[in-house]
Amino acid sequence: MTEGSATRTGHPTVVVDDLHIKYKTFASGKAASGTRALLQRQRGIRVVHAVKGMTFVAHEGESIGVIGHNGSGKSSLMRAIAGLQSPASGSVFASSQPALLGVNAALLGDLSGSKNVILGSLALGNSRAQADAVYQDIVDFSGLEEFIDLPMKTYSSGMAARLRFSIAVSRDHQILLVDEALAVGDKEFRAKSEARIRELREQAGTVFLVSHSMRSILDTCSRVLWIDHGNLKMDGDPQEVVDAYQASKN
Ligand SMILES: Nc1ncnc2c1ncn2[C@@H]1O[C@H](COP(=O)(O)OP(=O)(O)OP(=O)(O)O)[C@@H](O)[C@H]1O
Ligand SMILES: [Mg+2]
């Protein structure tokens, strides 16, 4: 593991200390086509060890890319930093509540879009007066004005994702987590979201960007973490880490 040459002068904002994440799932065995013995073996609790002891410190002013193959544990790590996933062992410390773009706002299907905008806004830490003040901006950004009085459960998944995203980006965050898999919506909305993400990145103290696009990683990050099978395989200079990652795939 190499240490990056990135600027590490800012205060620590996120400390991840020997973090382990495990998922317990019930395997029904129904997918197996084989014999009774095979079914018995596949039934019961299966444990997936998604993050296997990661340690690193993020600082103010850093823009940290997170790369690695599908299922390597990137989103699990982001959820743990955001406090949405509890560790099996180890710990995560953050200097302020991190915002994970797209999923932080827990919205309620029975309530109208407009009620959810207020609710989500309060959940981000706004006061009622602040929530009222940013309400119209959120609705405008979402482009969902004509549906805003309908219950959220009547929204398509794309519409719901747009509203969640619009709420999440309505506030500046000290620690911003962007999991690109969450980028949503049609082409026009994507362009708008990407522009807003860039703006937030400029204002945030520390940004994590999970992406499969090495171009956006190299364009925006000062440091890159390569996650491989739940392990932090490399941590350092973007070009060096991206080169090593790409070489490993050949
Ligand atoms: N809720 C869950 N229940 C059970 N297993 C899960 C759950 N979420 C993730 N996993 C498993 O944990 C591992 C890591 O998944 P994770 O979503 O963190 O990967 P990722 O690096 O974000 O992948 P991708 O690049 O595809 O987004 C995978 O094996 C996945 O199947
Ligand atoms: Mg993911």
Side-chain angles (χ1 to χ4, degrees), residues 104-107 115-126 138 167-168:
N104 239 11
L107 304 183
K115 289 233 167 65
N116 273 296
V117 169
I118 297 294
L119 200 68
S121 197
L122 295 173
L124 286 178
N126 283 319
I138 295 176
I167 295 167

Side-chain angles (χ1 to χ4, degrees), residues 71 74-76 179 181 210 212:
K74 303 179 298 296
S75 297
S76 302
D179 197 332
V210 178
H212 289 286

Side-chain angles (χ1 to χ4, degrees), residues 6 62-67 201 207-211 213-225 236-239 242:
E62 282 187 315
S63 180
I64 302 178
V66 181
I67 61 175
R201 274 189 209 146
V207 178
F208 286 86
L209 172 67
V210 178
S211 180
S213 158
M214 296 305 120
R215 184 56 21 227
S216 42
I217 293 281
L218 289 171
D219 279 352
T220 51
C221 298
S222 59
R223 173 184 176 189
V224 173
L225 310 180
D237 172 70
Q239 194 66 59
V242 166

Side-chain angles (χ1 to χ4, degrees), residues 23-25 48-51 68-77 79 85 179 181 210 212 227:
Y23 297 105
K24 289 196 182 74
T25 41
V48 178
H49 199 166
V51 172
H69 59 76
N70 291 130
S72 56
K74 303 179 298 296
S75 297
S76 302
L77 173 64
R79 283 198 298 271
Q85 171 71 51
D179 197 332
V210 178
H212 289 286
I227 314 290

Side-chain angles (χ1 to χ4, degrees), residues 39 47 52 62 64 81 83 100 108 118 218 223 233:
L39 281 175
V47 176
K52 302 170 182 163
E62 282 187 315
I64 302 178
I81 294 175
L100 178 56
L108 300 175
I118 297 294
L218 289 171
R223 173 184 176 189
K233 180 139 177 166

Side-chain angles (χ1 to χ4, degrees), residues 1-249:
M1 200 159 74
T2 57
E3 271 293 303
S5 58
T7 43
R8 303 280 170 84
T9 47
H11 294 293
T13 47
V14 176
V15 177
V16 172
D17 181 20
D18 195 22
L19 176 69
H20 288 259
I21 296 172
K22 290 178 183 169
Y23 297 105
K24 289 196 182 74
T25 41
F26 184 73
S28 68
K30 277 190 189 130
S33 57
T35 62
R36 193 181 182 81
L38 185 62
L39 281 175
Q40 276 166 352
R41 189 156 52 83
Q42 297 212 331
R43 258 196 217 116
I45 302 291
R46 194 99 53 83
V47 176
V48 178
H49 199 166
V51 172
K52 302 170 182 163
M54 276 186 215
T55 300
F56 62 87
V57 178
H59 303 82
E60 219 164 53
E62 282 187 315
S63 180
I64 302 178
V66 181
I67 61 175
H69 59 76
N70 291 130
S72 56
K74 303 179 298 296
S75 297
S76 302
L77 173 64
M78 291 305 110
R79 283 198 298 271
I81 294 175
L84 300 169
Q85 171 71 51
S86 46
S89 67
S91 45
V92 176
F93 303 95
S95 60
S96 62
Q97 174 60 48
L100 178 56
L101 278 199
V103 298
N104 239 11
L107 304 183
L108 300 175
D110 285 331
L111 297 184
S112 64
S114 56
K115 289 233 167 65
N116 273 296
V117 169
I118 297 294
L119 200 68
S121 197
L122 295 173
L124 286 178
N126 283 319
S127 67
R128 183 60 212 242
Q130 286 167 324
D132 287 337
V134 293
Y135 172 83
Q136 199 54 46
D137 285 346
I138 295 176
V139 175
D140 290 347
F141 192 93
S142 74
L144 294 169
E145 179 80 67
E146 58 181 303
F147 307 100
I148 209 69
D149 291 327
L150 299 177
M152 280 240 1
K153 63 185 172 199
T154 67
Y155 288 14
S156 72
S157 58
M159 288 161 71
R162 279 168 73 140
L163 195 64
R164 266 199 302 277
F165 182 90
S166 306
I167 295 167
V169 297
S170 68
R171 210 187 139 106
D172 298 342
H173 304 283
Q174 262 315 100
I175 303 167
L176 179 65
L177 315 172
V178 183
D179 197 332
E180 258 192 7
L182 299 171
V184 291
D186 48 37
K187 200 171 165 200
E188 194 188 336
F189 190 75
R190 265 188 101 102
K192 204 155 86 168
S193 334
E194 280 165 13
R196 180 65 183 136
I197 288 174
R198 268 196 298 279
E199 225 172 84
L200 284 173
R201 274 189 209 146
E202 280 155 23
Q203 292 154 358
T206 306
V207 178
F208 286 86
L209 172 67
V210 178
S211 180
H212 289 286
S213 158
M214 296 305 120
R215 184 56 21 227
S216 42
I217 293 281
L218 289 171
D219 279 352
T220 51
C221 298
S222 59
R223 173 184 176 189
V224 173
L225 310 180
W226 170 14
I227 314 290
D228 186 58
H229 293 100
N231 296 301
L232 181 55
K233 180 139 177 166
M234 206 169 160
D235 171 3
D237 172 70
Q239 194 66 59
E240 277 175 37
V241 178
V242 166
D243 286 348
Y245 172 60
Q246 282 176 329
S248 79
K249 292 197 288 189

